[in-house]
Amino acid sequence: MKTFELLESNVRSYCRSFPVVFDKAKGDQLYADTGEAYIDFFAGAGALNYGHNNEFMKSKIMEYVSQDRIMHGLDMYTKAKEDFIVSFSEHILKPQSLDYKLQFCGPTGTNAVEAALKLARKVKGRTGVFAFMGGFHGMSLGSLSITSSNSMRESAGMPLNNVTFIPYGQSFEGLDTIRYMEHILSDTHSGVGKPAAMILETVQAEGGIHVAEIEWLHSLRQLCDEHDILLIIDDIQVGCGRTGPFFSFERAGIVPDIVILSKSISGYGLPMSLLLIRPELDIWSPGEHNGTFRGNQLAFVTAKAALEFRTAERLGEQVREKEAFIKHYLQNEIAPLDADLKFRGIGMIWGIDVSHLGEEAAREITANCFKNGLILERAGRNDTVIKIMPPLTISIENLKRGCEIIAESFSRVCHTFSH
């Protein structure tokens, strides 16, 4: 690893938590160059919902490349893009009667967030945005402005303005957040102007696995309608089936004005980001938001294959079954280890809150897991939430073994830090 330490920037991050050189990966496991196997409860930070090197998607890539098809196309018309658009419409939009136009952004999620903010401000002619405490939306300047982490915001090196942060969820220490926003929007002396949009994750992932209540999401949609504010859902990490249905907001029965997708939308871990826009909001001038790599042709190929795979494998049902397993294991095997542990989650994203034990304990738990062949990360305030996010396709055997490794680490660390 001396090569990386000598020549790669200090900005590198995940490699510090998982200090081995990875060489291969398949399904729900990664392999170091020494051959050692690690169960994956990380899933590429949500970019690998369908696992590593999915055979069905891989076959589509190999076929496409072998035929000398278009590899780089900017935003030109290509067959790969057309095939994905048609498939996305047939598999995802039409069954739910959703009417969206598709905008292909640059290769990363933060680029789609930037596009969403620009479009909302252009449509409404207002500069303000309401975002939520605990939210994470990316590391470019616009995305950082709506990300609440103080340490991340400081990295901007400049003021991040035109954003009002609101407590997340139905109640915050007794505060009715919907009534609070209603008061801000209605009071001529609130000191806060009407925003162009509200942006949120229906499940805050990096924020510590906080799941928004269905009633609160209904009220938020209604509030936006009453005050002529666009509702933007950032489904970058918890979309594409992570919570069970394809979109994380489906459980609430709401329809956002703009939806942001990235990470697992390509299915294979290839860079791709996408905005879904209500047709009447699509007032862009040609090229007004662009990027050289907004047409990743291989990502279009695997994104189409991912939709077909999801349907064929009845992945939604698999997620519900595995969700039940995770909930049962947490409640019956890990909860008894420490009465003060808190569990939050939905579908196949779960968090174990160990804030009462502290950051050092959380770090020790994940380090112990890694030593025993399990990759998982921390999230939330002070990184004190153990984040469980395996590929949706993980085998029950490896899901069980991964949970056992967590329990073993908790048993060791909780005993140490509780005394």
Side-chain angles (χ1 to χ4, degrees), residues 293-307:
F293 297 103
R294 63 192 182 277
N296 187 335
Q297 303 301 304
L298 287 184
F300 290 148
V301 171
T302 55
K304 176 179 181 290
L307 299 176

Side-chain angles (χ1 to χ4, degrees), residues 130 164 166 179-187 190 192-193:
F130 279 11
T164 301
I166 305 293
R179 287 188 62 190
Y180 175 62
M181 285 185 279
E182 177 66 55
H183 185 76
I184 289 175
L185 294 167
S186 302
D187 185 359
S190 70
V192 180

Side-chain angles (χ1 to χ4, degrees), residues 4-51:
F4 305 106
E5 293 168 2
L6 288 172
L7 299 176
E8 189 180 4
S9 167
N10 287 329
V11 79
R12 64 191 188 278
S13 175
Y14 290 119
C15 56
R16 300 179 190 274
S17 298
F18 315 124
V20 299
V21 177
F22 292 103
D23 187 41
K24 294 184 178 180
K26 188 66 179 175
D28 51 27
Q29 292 184 287
L30 294 95
Y31 299 88
D33 59 355
T34 58
E36 189 170 1
Y38 294 85
I39 297 171
D40 187 3
F41 271 27
F42 176 53
L48 293 164
N49 281 4
Y50 309 100

Side-chain angles (χ1 to χ4, degrees), residues 54-89:
N54 179 285
E55 283 296 324
F56 180 66
M57 297 174 209
K58 183 167 70 174
S59 70
K60 299 298 182 181
I61 290 177
M62 301 299 285
E63 178 184 358
Y64 187 86
V65 172
S66 71
Q67 296 172 352
D68 291 331
R69 306 280 293 281
I70 296 292
M71 291 296 291
H72 181 267
L74 294 149
D75 69 351
M76 293 186 289
Y77 300 140
T78 67
K79 191 68 174 70
K81 183 200 285 188
E82 181 181 37
D83 288 347
F84 167 72
I85 291 174
V86 171
S87 183
F88 191 80
S89 178

Side-chain angles (χ1 to χ4, degrees), residues 272-401:
M272 179 177 175
S273 71
L274 175 66
L275 279 193
L276 307 180
I277 311 166
R278 281 194 5 242
E280 63 270 26
L281 304 179
D282 186 23
I283 62 170
W284 291 115
S285 299
E288 195 172 4
H289 188 85
N290 59 45
T292 303
F293 297 103
R294 63 192 182 277
N296 187 335
Q297 303 301 304
L298 287 184
F300 290 148
V301 171
T302 55
K304 176 179 181 290
L307 299 176
E308 296 168 353
F309 177 83
R310 173 180 169 77
T311 300
E313 297 295 319
R314 303 168 70 97
L315 211 53
E317 293 181 19
Q318 285 195 45
V319 170
R320 285 192 291 273
E321 293 169 2
K322 292 166 186 175
E323 174 189 38
F325 176 88
I326 295 170
K327 288 174 67 174
H328 183 270
Y329 198 96
L330 292 176
Q331 292 166 359
N332 292 276
E333 302 297 332
I334 296 181
L337 300 174
D338 186 333
D340 293 319
L341 293 174
K342 297 183 180 69
F343 307 96
R344 297 185 295 268
I346 187 172
M348 290 186 68
I349 178 167
W350 286 82
I352 308 172
D353 193 327
V354 298
S355 54
H356 65 293
L357 296 175
E359 185 176 356
E360 186 181 348
R363 187 184 301 110
E364 190 69 20
I365 289 166
T366 53
N368 266 297
C369 286
F370 182 69
K371 289 176 184 176
N372 289 287
L374 177 68
I375 294 173
L376 76 172
E377 67 171 331
R378 295 176 290 131
R381 274 75 169 177
N382 301 312
D383 283 338
T384 53
V385 177
I386 309 303
K387 185 179 179 185
I388 299 173
M389 193 170 65
L392 310 183
T393 54
I394 190 171
S395 68
I396 287 294
E397 293 75 20
N398 279 340
L399 181 60
K400 181 175 185 293
R401 179 56 193 147

Side-chain angles (χ1 to χ4, degrees), residues 60-334:
K60 299 298 182 181
I61 290 177
M62 301 299 285
E63 178 184 358
Y64 187 86
V65 172
S66 71
Q67 296 172 352
D68 291 331
R69 306 280 293 281
I70 296 292
M71 291 296 291
H72 181 267
L74 294 149
D75 69 351
M76 293 186 289
Y77 300 140
T78 67
K79 191 68 174 70
K81 183 200 285 188
E82 181 181 37
D83 288 347
F84 167 72
I85 291 174
V86 171
S87 183
F88 191 80
S89 178
E90 293 296 326
H91 284 275
I92 304 300
L93 299 182
K94 286 184 180 178
Q96 299 186 59
S97 300
L98 293 173
D99 186 15
Y100 288 123
K101 292 184 74 174
L102 279 62
Q103 178 183 347
F104 299 101
C105 306
T108 66
T110 196
N111 189 276
V113 172
E114 298 283 353
L117 295 176
K118 284 170 61 175
L119 182 59
R121 286 167 169 147
K122 180 180 175 69
V123 169
K124 294 302 180 185
R126 309 180 205 128
T127 57
V129 172
F130 279 11
F132 293 88
M133 297 176 186
F136 174 80
H137 300 282
M139 296 296 284
S140 53
L141 287 181
S143 301
L144 265 182
S145 74
I146 53 173
T147 291
S148 68
S149 165
N150 288 337
S151 62
M152 290 180 181
R153 293 173 65 84
E154 288 168 3
S155 71
M158 62 179 291
L160 300 170
N161 302 319
N162 300 315
V163 177
T164 301
F165 283 97
I166 305 293
Y168 182 80
Q170 193 161 325
S171 62
F172 180 80
E173 296 183 354
L175 173 68
D176 182 331
T177 55
I178 297 295
R179 287 188 62 190
Y180 175 62
M181 285 185 279
E182 177 66 55
H183 185 76
I184 289 175
L185 294 167
S186 302
D187 185 359
T188 58
H189 285 62
S190 70
V192 180
K194 181 186 290 188
M198 295 188 191
I199 184 167
L200 73 150
E201 309 150 276
T202 68
V203 182
Q204 289 188 338
E206 300 306 312
I209 325 300
H210 292 278
V211 182
E213 303 92 337
I214 288 175
E215 180 184 353
W216 186 74
L217 292 171
H218 284 164
S219 298
L220 200 64
R221 173 72 274 183
Q222 184 177 356
L223 186 70
C224 287
D225 290 338
E226 291 173 353
H227 291 273
D228 186 34
I229 298 167
L230 297 181
L231 180 62
I232 304 173
I233 297 295
D234 179 340
D235 237 10
I236 291 173
Q237 186 162 161
V238 297
C240 300
R242 176 57 57 182
T243 64
F246 187 82
F247 296 114
S248 71
F249 55 82
E250 289 183 49
R251 62 191 175 90
I254 62 170
V255 178
D257 299 300
I258 299 175
V259 181
I260 308 170
L261 295 170
S262 188
K263 290 192 183 284
S264 277
I265 186 61
S266 78
Y268 204 74
L270 297 174
M272 179 177 175
S273 71
L274 175 66
L275 279 193
L276 307 180
I277 311 166
R278 281 194 5 242
E280 63 270 26
L281 304 179
D282 186 23
I283 62 170
W284 291 115
S285 299
E288 195 172 4
H289 188 85
N290 59 45
T292 303
F293 297 103
R294 63 192 182 277
N296 187 335
Q297 303 301 304
L298 287 184
F300 290 148
V301 171
T302 55
K304 176 179 181 290
L307 299 176
E308 296 168 353
F309 177 83
R310 173 180 169 77
T311 300
E313 297 295 319
R314 303 168 70 97
L315 211 53
E317 293 181 19
Q318 285 195 45
V319 170
R320 285 192 291 273
E321 293 169 2
K322 292 166 186 175
E323 174 189 38
F325 176 88
I326 295 170
K327 288 174 67 174
H328 183 270
Y329 198 96
L330 292 176
Q331 292 166 359
N332 292 276
E333 302 297 332
I334 296 181

